[in-house]
Amino acid sequence: MQQQASDSDEATPPFWALRAADRAPTVQRSRASSIQRARKVVDAARRLVETKGFEFTVQELVKEAGIAIQTFYNYFAGKDEVALAVIEDMVSSSVADLEHGSRDLPDTVARLRYYIREVIVNLGREPAGRGMGSFIAAEHWRLMQTFPTEVARAARPYADLLARDLDAAARAGQLAPGDNVEYSAWLAAQMILAVYHHYAFTPQDESYDAVADRVWAFCFAAWGGGVDAGPDASGHDAG
């Protein structure tokens, strides 16, 4: 996905920022100051990921962030915790971008189509095997083995976004996802994530738009939208 880095003065700090602040020496600085310093590390990590992937050292990271190495270890136990923070940050900013990009769409089905297609289409906007999409694909499952709760929490905002409009579409009689809307949204998010991981590295014969249309068709049909679930099955062009 294409994301914008979050502002350092965000109203509600993400979980990674609170974790980092709790590690820091509370006597030396306030929580707000701790979060701001930790944000510098995560922003630096995102810049490095975009240019060279996750194959950078802690020394390179602290140089990019403009901090001392001891300052880094005040907030993060190591690179894995930074990777967790970057994933959480990326998902949150991506969800905000999806909400912003869908604000003028006419109904919940059109928005759901946009949320699903845009995730896949964005992969085609990155260099092959490099960038944020490749980083997520490479690090997500690896970190899941060691930090299952934290990784699940980091990915949750996307499933929540789907669940919100899926519930609205069900209430409006547009879709029939079943009794447990949240679980239906979570299952769809897991399937989309698996497709995302696959195409982040695997060459394909068809375009990312075509792959996105297939993923949307699958979700649309699974949610009771009918068997004819092609690109315009919602009745609207999400662009």
Side-chain angles (χ1 to χ4, degrees):
M1 305 178 190
Q2 199 73 25
Q3 304 97 354
Q4 300 295 322
S6 303
D7 295 333
S8 60
D9 59 348
E10 54 196 314
T12 305
F15 285 107
W16 68 258
L18 297 177
R19 289 194 301 268
D22 288 340
R23 277 184 59 89
T26 55
V27 177
Q28 295 180 17
R29 59 184 63 93
S30 68
R31 169 164 283 201
S33 176
S34 295
I35 289 172
Q36 188 174 27
R37 287 173 180 260
R39 162 61 64 190
K40 289 181 66 176
V41 176
V42 174
D43 288 347
R46 288 185 64 157
R47 291 193 298 272
L48 290 172
V49 165
E50 288 171 349
T51 57
K52 60 188 302 182
F54 202 54
E55 301 303 316
F56 55 82
T57 65
V58 171
Q59 287 75 16
E60 289 174 314
L61 177 57
V62 298
K63 181 179 179 180
E64 178 71 22
I67 61 172
I69 195 162
Q70 185 55 50
T71 302
F72 169 83
Y73 285 113
N74 282 341
Y75 300 102
F76 299 97
K79 275 185 65 181
D80 281 356
E81 286 196 0
V82 176
L84 275 171
V86 171
I87 289 174
E88 184 178 338
D89 209 43
M90 287 167 56
V91 172
S92 294
S93 58
S94 293
V95 166
D97 288 346
L98 289 171
E99 290 182 305
H100 180 76
S102 65
R103 67 192 184 283
D104 294 328
L105 295 177
D107 61 29
T108 52
V109 175
R111 288 194 292 274
L112 284 166
R113 177 177 180 263
Y114 178 82
Y115 300 154
I116 290 170
R117 291 192 77 262
E118 192 70 5
V119 169
I120 306 300
V121 170
N122 267 332
L123 278 174
R125 299 168 184 156
E126 295 186 349
R130 202 179 69 194
M132 289 299 182
S134 299
F135 166 77
I136 288 181
E139 295 298 317
H140 179 272
W141 292 125
R142 184 184 70 81
L143 292 169
M144 193 74 175
Q145 299 174 60
T146 312
F147 304 97
T149 302
E150 291 85 352
V151 172
R153 179 186 291 137
R156 187 73 206 181
Y158 181 68
D160 289 344
L161 179 68
L162 295 178
R164 185 193 67 195
D165 277 4
L166 186 57
D167 181 64
R171 292 176 182 275
Q174 295 173 292
L175 295 174
D179 295 334
N180 194 331
V181 172
E182 287 190 2
Y183 191 69
S184 294
W186 178 82
L187 281 176
Q190 293 303 301
M191 186 270 292
I192 294 161
L193 182 61
V195 173
Y196 185 88
H197 284 193
H198 177 78
Y199 284 108
F201 291 102
T202 306
Q204 79 243 23
D205 295 329
E206 56 187 348
S207 68
Y208 285 98
D209 277 300
V211 174
D213 287 338
R214 290 177 184 273
V215 174
W216 164 244
F218 184 89
C219 293
F220 186 68
W223 289 335
V227 264
D228 181 15
D232 298 316
S234 68
H236 305 290
D237 185 359

